[in-house]
Amino acid sequence: MADSNFIDYVKILCRSGKGGAGSRHYHRAKYIPKGGPDGGDGGRGGHIILRGSSHMWTLLPLRYQRHIFATNGESGGAGRSHGKDGEDRIIEVPVGTAVFDADSGEFLCEVTRDGEEIYLLRGGKGGLGNVHFATSTNRAPRYAQPGQPSIEKAVVLELKLLGDVGLVGFPNAGKSTLLAAVSAAKPKVADYPFTTMEPQLGIVSYRGDRSFVMADIPGIIEGAAEGKGLGLRFLRHIERNAVLLFMVPADSDDIAKDYNILLNEVREFNPDLATKSRVLAISKSDMLDDELREEIAKTLPDDCPTIFISAVTGQGIPELKDLLWREITSEDNQTDYAITHRPLDIRHRVAEEDNFIFEPEPIEDDDELNLETDEDWEDEFWDEESSVNS
């Protein structure tokens, strides 16, 4: 995935600007011997702002801009002049980007609309000048406020595709074939597993001018929630879906068992996903006759609607659209169903993206000093400086 343009996980270091200090200046003029305080206020530090953009579909630009720092506010000046505010840094991200604290894994915020702006880190306020502290009993204050410090935080940005229906299934279950059959999307379709290496979105036309979005993620395998296969890397993309469409091929040895394995992996990844609406589709049903279909129907689970489909022949596709539309528009899905975020723990991190910084460079051995840590080196350095100065 290192060479792919689809980047859905990035860790960056952000720092807002610190506020400028207030001025302690006194008014001086030839014929005004006691002009009094006239120190101006310091400017505020720059903010770090997230802005949603519907024209972006990947976090690739942030992969090459890992340090985002706003500028500091300038100090106040004479004549009650206000210091210049620091410049804000605006980070444009795709719609559907969630932000987590890189240290604790705590969910911070998410961008869900085009043009939405979220203040990720606020710049420090500028300090007040001494003119604000003049009173009837203290007409010449000799102090002013310092500016507030900056805020530095490492955050993880996760892109989660915004779709109404998420496809969940083992490799070669027919997910990409279904997406290509019901939408204009052109995912890669082949007769070997893991042909889908990136999430795919397709707009499915429904009756009249209605439509819904279907999201296809790479196939997951048993143990995906523990990091096996590709599922763990992409399961985040079904967290924002209203309905989960489980797909099991008709030639499976035990359809109910495969369905329970998939459901368990989804539940292990994020327990809240088990509460979403579910539909089970038996794909590749064109190889079944009526008798086999009746026998298989007796073994299917009862906790969700089931349907037999074939994306190649079109069997059951209209009925599947009707079923999905009913689930999407049901009363249970008219709330914030898609906003489900599990805390970011070690299982959900992408190692090659997560360790881009904060790893201390190894210190070369010094035969003369024989120092083992940076602190020892700094102590020795300042000891030499002090001896020279003395």
Side-chain angles (χ1 to χ4, degrees):
M1 297 302 296
D3 298 331
S4 173
N5 287 333
F6 182 79
I7 303 298
D8 57 358
Y9 182 105
V10 167
K11 180 180 177 181
I12 61 176
L13 180 65
C14 300
R15 185 171 65 206
S16 62
K18 65 181 180 180
S23 174
R24 295 180 297 174
H25 190 270
Y26 291 90
H27 180 72
R28 289 177 173 85
K30 184 175 181 179
Y31 300 107
I32 307 178
K34 297 180 180 180
D38 69 343
D41 302 339
R44 67 159 179 84
H47 303 309
I48 301 294
I49 303 174
L50 295 178
R51 177 187 293 168
S53 174
S54 59
H55 301 289
M56 296 181 64
W57 60 278
T58 175
L59 296 172
L60 180 63
L62 294 177
R63 189 175 187 181
Y64 304 102
Q65 191 181 9
R66 299 296 186 86
H67 300 78
I68 300 178
F69 300 152
T71 60
N72 299 327
E74 296 183 0
S75 300
R80 303 190 181 188
S81 60
H82 194 287
K84 182 181 179 181
D85 292 341
E87 295 183 3
D88 300 333
R89 291 299 306 273
I90 297 178
I91 308 173
E92 290 198 345
V93 296
V95 177
T97 299
V99 185
F100 298 85
D101 187 295
D103 298 323
S104 65
E106 178 187 2
F107 169 73
L108 300 178
C109 61
E110 66 175 336
V111 180
T112 58
R113 300 188 307 275
D114 181 43
E116 179 183 10
E117 291 189 352
I118 296 177
Y119 286 78
L120 182 61
L121 299 178
R122 290 189 174 272
K125 293 182 179 179
L128 298 178
N130 61 352
V131 67
H132 293 278
F133 302 102
T135 64
S136 59
T137 58
N138 184 14
R139 297 186 178 184
R142 299 180 179 273
Y143 51 85
Q145 280 185 340
Q148 289 185 345
S150 60
I151 302 175
E152 183 173 289
K153 184 183 291 291
V155 297
V156 170
L157 304 182
E158 276 193 352
L159 174 59
K160 302 182 181 184
L161 298 182
L162 303 179
D164 299 304
V165 179
L167 301 181
V168 182
F170 291 114
N172 273 8
K175 302 186 298 298
S176 298
T177 305
L178 174 64
L179 184 64
V182 299
S183 71
K186 299 184 182 300
K188 184 177 181 180
V189 179
D191 58 353
Y192 55 86
F194 295 112
T195 55
T196 300
M197 299 295 291
E198 301 175 359
Q200 302 286 335
L201 283 179
I203 299 178
V204 181
S205 299
Y206 190 57
R207 304 177 187 275
D209 57 353
R210 294 174 291 184
S211 64
F212 58 88
V213 179
M214 182 176 289
D216 176 24
I217 67 170
I220 63 177
I221 61 176
E222 188 173 3
E226 300 174 358
K228 296 181 181 179
L230 297 176
L232 182 62
R233 174 78 181 267
F234 298 105
L235 275 172
R236 68 174 70 100
H237 293 288
I238 63 174
E239 287 185 307
R240 295 188 53 83
N241 301 148
V243 180
L244 301 182
L245 176 58
F246 290 81
M247 295 187 63
V248 180
D251 56 357
S252 172
D253 295 334
D254 191 336
I255 294 178
K257 178 181 178 181
D258 289 348
Y259 166 74
N260 288 326
I261 291 175
L262 293 171
L263 182 59
N264 181 67
E265 294 302 325
V266 170
R267 186 184 291 114
E268 288 292 326
F269 178 77
N270 186 346
D272 292 335
L273 292 178
T275 62
K276 290 182 178 291
S277 300
R278 302 192 297 271
V279 174
L280 174 60
I282 313 303
S283 61
K284 306 179 183 180
S285 296
D286 52 313
M287 64 178 66
L288 302 176
D289 55 22
D290 294 338
E291 184 177 354
L292 273 175
R293 191 177 292 108
E294 293 177 359
E295 291 296 326
I296 293 176
K298 297 177 182 178
T299 64
L300 297 180
D302 300 329
D303 61 343
C304 67
T306 59
I307 187 171
F308 291 86
I309 65 170
S310 173
V312 176
T313 63
Q315 171 191 340
I317 298 300
E319 293 79 3
L320 175 63
K321 290 183 179 181
D322 292 337
L323 180 57
L324 293 175
W325 184 259
R326 286 199 302 270
E327 294 293 332
I328 293 172
T329 57
S330 65
E331 294 183 359
D332 295 337
N333 285 330
Q334 299 309 306
T335 58
D336 293 336
Y337 58 84
I339 306 177
T340 305
H341 302 283
R342 44 92 189 108
L344 190 67
D345 59 27
I346 189 63
R347 298 178 305 160
H348 305 130
R349 294 182 179 271
V350 181
E352 63 270 22
E353 296 285 341
D354 208 33
N355 297 326
F356 78 97
I357 197 172
F358 312 127
E359 292 293 333
E361 297 182 358
I363 303 174
E364 298 181 358
D365 294 335
D366 193 318
D367 295 336
E368 296 181 359
L369 299 178
N370 192 22
L371 303 176
E372 298 180 356
T373 63
D374 289 338
E375 290 78 5
D376 295 336
W377 185 88
E378 291 177 358
D379 294 340
E380 183 70 20
F381 174 78
W382 289 115
D383 289 342
E384 291 181 359
E385 285 289 306
S386 59
S387 63
V388 172
N389 294 332
S390 59

